[in-house]
Amino acid sequence: MKRTTLHDGWSLTVEGDGVPADLVGRTVPAVVPGSSHLDLLAAGLIPDPYLDLNETALRWAHRARWRYVTAFGAEPAAPGERVDLVFDGLDTVAGILLNGRPVARSVNMHRSVRVDLRNRLAPAGDGRPGVNELVVALESALEYAEGIEKEVGARPRAYPHPFNAVRKMACSFGWDWGPDLQTAGIWKPVRLERWHTARIASLRPLVSVAPDGTGGVDVHVDIERADPVDRRELVLTARVGDREQRLVVPAGADTASVRVEVPDARLWWPAGYGDHPLYDLEVALGAPGRDAPLDVAHRRIGFRTVTVDTAPDEHGTPFTVAVNGVPIFVKGANWIPDDHFLTRITRDRLAHRVDRALGAHMNMLRVWGGGIYETEDFYDVCDERGMLVWQDFPFACAAYAEEEPLWGEVEAEARENVARLSSHPSLALWNGANENMWGWRDWGWREERGDRSWGLRYYTELLPAVVRELDPTRFYAENSPYNPGRPVDGTHPNDEDHGTRHEWEVWNRIDQTAYRDHVPRFCSEFGFQGPPTWTTLRRAVRDDPLTPTSPAFLLHQKAEDGNAKLERGLAPRLPVPRDFADWHWATQLNQARAVALGVEHFRSRWPRTAGSLVWQLNDCWPVTSWAAIDGDGRLKPLWYGLRHAHAPRLLTVQPRDGRPALIAVNDTDRPWTGALTARRIDFRAGEERGGGTVGLDVPARSVRQYHLADSLITPDAAQEELLVMTAEDGTRVVHPFLEDLDLALDPDPVEARAVAEPGGYRVEVRARALARDVALLVDRAAPDAEVDDMLVTLLPGETRDFRVRTGADIDPAVLTRRPVLRTANDLFRDRPGTGDGT
């Protein structure tokens, strides 16, 4: 097998009725893999789509037609040789022409395209390879979807465009956190493959672990033969380390499987549970009597088992993930495409994002169904780091027609991607769709769709059948949320006692404390919004003055009634500032607090609640959203809140039986024992009002509840008192008896000094009075700056050193005052106040 990439020499032209006149027919260099928007941006012909109001100005691209052209030299096929043109992915509705003749058509960005060019290549001349013109003509995906919708009938959906009528990344058409840019391009590699006799068309290594510790990998291979008449015997060889197995593939066979066993295999564990060793698997396809293989494929595998327990119990139906037989509490987040322009996402960038998830003590990422099947780089990075992956099939927030051409496209993409991803030990489970069963029950779809299909057979018939056939080692869930083993018209799909649950009432309608009103078996979505970091926001939104209602800010707030929900969430606990800088800090802080409250509640309910996946880890552009990492990759305060809430050992005060109780969460392999000191203190007078000790004895991977004496939880003056409990290892919880709005907080509680040190600065913060949620918003001092911790509450007289990493030369004094150094307290300094938005 010889592979030659075809990434050079491409050009791009654009046509269409709404295309600006100065762009029609204009040719620009094109990057492949790439996107049409990025090529026009590189040529200086359009503004940055992420800035200001530019997204709106580029709506003409929704109905544009794009033409990619290149030329390549290629020798004609030798006798018995195949020459294939392979596109790993086209976005999305594409006609492929070679030397002026159509050779293929693709209408699905989630599939590859392979074309046999044996009889289509230009002839050689004068001793030189023939020169071939290759054209990829991309139609408007929007217009194609509108046409399919007319053909099969419209189906309900959550957003205006018919994203559910074309197999394209749904959020390309806009979402409540993403832009409506509708990308187009050759988004994955393209190449020529020259081969003869036979090739490995598909490889599925399915791993198992025997009770005696022997690791097994059943290597399943689909074989394509170059000549349907040539059905000779072949030889399949699979090697893992020094273990090798060979199999003679009978003449005429197009499939084969061979098993390799590895005694005493080192087990792959998720982060926080052990190491993540990977083994190299080499699979070679050969012919008898021939030394050189015809084709060779390489994968990395890990020996582990993953199960999901859904056997009914006294509470309902659990959804408990176990790895190598060990039940785990899933601490994680939902993952969206890390850039709306997918080809800007590099392996290094993915590694950095996954490392951020690990830094917040996460062990799972859910690849959400409105995005894509991620690239190999994503799963490789997760394999290496022990990050479990929950993979949605790409269906989200809509009813989907089950008629052709969609049914055939869905089956083909599912078969290709289930096989493609089967080798990755990080891949824990497949999920049929996001919120579609819930939508059918509650969002008026039944009335709107009439008797038309809505996608149920995808989730209950087609997709589970594909997983059973191609990857029976993995669990399949029909939807998120869903109730295992129950029909969609039975128990509600979002019932807290059964399977998975999405908790969106807190963001949409009710106070964050309502998280505690529900004890789901597994919460696979919940979250609260906050704006991006200041530097990211100001790079993308240059309104003057900048306010929550200025035009570009609103364009970068996609949630329905988003700003009002932000302020409604603030009102019970913090002032709603008029000054924009204060509003920015207050809404970021409230986001972090709301989500951390949810995480701590869910963790406190283990093992009844077996996991929580925050919406969401990352952003695809600079926007006000639910993300912990903003569109420029900077950490929002939420990320620090998640790191605290996900800590391996956690103390939290939760309501139990009408009174506060101490909950100790031990997510480590060692028992947590020792004396815990409890104090009820007057934070204004600096005096202890009540005290005691609690003997901690929490087994590994367990949660324990402890009764708190009345003297600890009954304040004399609630507005001036706190409950502080500290374990011997320094783990601490600070529990106010009232919301900040009702506490007697000093609005200027800290003093600070900063000094330079190698790699950045050390900032020493001393609390003169109780300082709630001390934070250093260091990107306001330097765009590359990052602080090691924030959202730290300091008691009167306490000091904390913060480390700031930056390559910039900063005036240290800038790090010791507003707007960099913030506390919750300082939001109370000027109520109601006015400001200039600086």
Side-chain angles (χ1 to χ4, degrees), residues 510-586:
I510 57 180
D511 187 69
Q512 60 191 245
T513 55
Y515 280 131
R516 295 172 175 152
D517 295 342
H518 301 278
V519 186
R521 307 313 303 271
F522 190 112
C523 194
S524 45
E525 278 191 23
F526 68 105
F528 208 88
Q529 266 202 352
T533 60
W534 187 264
T535 297
T536 298
L537 177 63
R538 290 308 274 152
R539 182 187 71 81
V541 177
R542 295 172 290 189
D543 291 336
D544 185 16
L546 175 60
T547 74
T549 57
S550 58
F553 186 89
L554 285 179
L555 189 65
H556 291 75
Q557 162 60 285
K558 298 293 186 179
E560 181 182 3
D561 201 28
N563 285 353
K565 291 174 182 177
L566 287 172
E567 295 186 0
R568 190 160 58 244
L570 273 181
R573 49 190 48 82
L574 291 168
V576 180
R578 294 182 183 178
D579 175 81
F580 184 79
D582 286 350
W583 186 90
H584 177 267
W585 159 235

Side-chain angles (χ1 to χ4, degrees), residues 310-556:
T310 59
D313 60 17
E314 68 274 22
H315 303 297
T317 311
F319 194 89
T320 305
V321 176
V323 180
N324 300 322
V326 177
I328 69 171
F329 184 91
V330 169
K331 301 181 295 188
N334 286 266
W335 171 273
I336 67 170
D338 201 57
D339 198 309
H340 192 81
F341 297 115
L342 299 172
T343 56
R344 294 202 292 206
I345 305 171
T346 64
R347 185 186 181 96
D348 286 346
R349 179 165 161 175
L350 292 169
H352 189 60
R353 294 292 184 273
V354 175
D355 285 342
R356 294 300 203 188
L358 291 170
H361 303 297
M362 296 183 187
N363 55 32
M364 178 180 277
L365 294 174
R366 173 191 172 210
V367 180
W368 166 76
I372 59 173
Y373 305 93
E374 284 287 341
T375 63
E376 290 298 318
D377 286 339
F378 174 83
Y379 304 97
D380 285 345
V381 163
C382 291
D383 292 344
E384 294 164 0
R385 288 157 172 78
M387 182 62 69
L388 293 169
V389 176
W390 161 326
Q391 178 69 51
D392 281 12
F393 286 96
F395 296 88
C397 300
Y400 287 79
E402 297 166 8
E403 289 78 19
E404 295 293 352
L406 291 170
W407 182 276
E409 288 294 334
V410 170
E411 180 173 9
E413 82 177 49
R415 297 184 70 86
E416 178 174 337
N417 285 285
V418 168
R420 176 174 72 91
L421 301 181
S422 62
S423 65
H424 292 284
S426 58
L427 182 60
L429 65 101
W430 287 95
N431 179 59
N434 176 73
E435 296 188 344
N436 291 354
M437 288 183 166
W438 187 9
W440 183 83
R441 280 292 293 264
D442 284 357
W443 300 352
W445 291 3
R446 282 181 281 188
E447 296 77 16
E448 185 177 345
R449 74 176 180 90
D451 60 357
R452 294 189 297 273
S453 63
W454 61 275
L456 181 63
R457 291 181 57 227
Y458 290 132
Y459 320 132
T460 61
E461 296 179 26
L462 176 60
L463 298 177
V466 170
V467 174
R468 280 194 304 270
E469 176 190 349
L470 300 181
D471 191 6
T473 66
R474 287 183 174 87
F475 182 83
Y476 172 81
E478 292 176 354
N479 257 233
S480 183
Y482 98 119
N483 291 319
R486 289 171 172 78
V488 68
D489 56 356
T491 306
H492 195 283
N494 207 34
D495 188 293
E496 66 181 283
D497 292 329
H498 301 281
T500 53
R501 177 178 172 87
H502 291 190
E503 181 49 75
W504 284 114
E505 288 298 293
V506 166
W507 163 248
N508 284 313
R509 276 170 281 277
I510 57 180
D511 187 69
Q512 60 191 245
T513 55
Y515 280 131
R516 295 172 175 152
D517 295 342
H518 301 278
V519 186
R521 307 313 303 271
F522 190 112
C523 194
S524 45
E525 278 191 23
F526 68 105
F528 208 88
Q529 266 202 352
T533 60
W534 187 264
T535 297
T536 298
L537 177 63
R538 290 308 274 152
R539 182 187 71 81
V541 177
R542 295 172 290 189
D543 291 336
D544 185 16
L546 175 60
T547 74
T549 57
S550 58
F553 186 89
L554 285 179
L555 189 65
H556 291 75

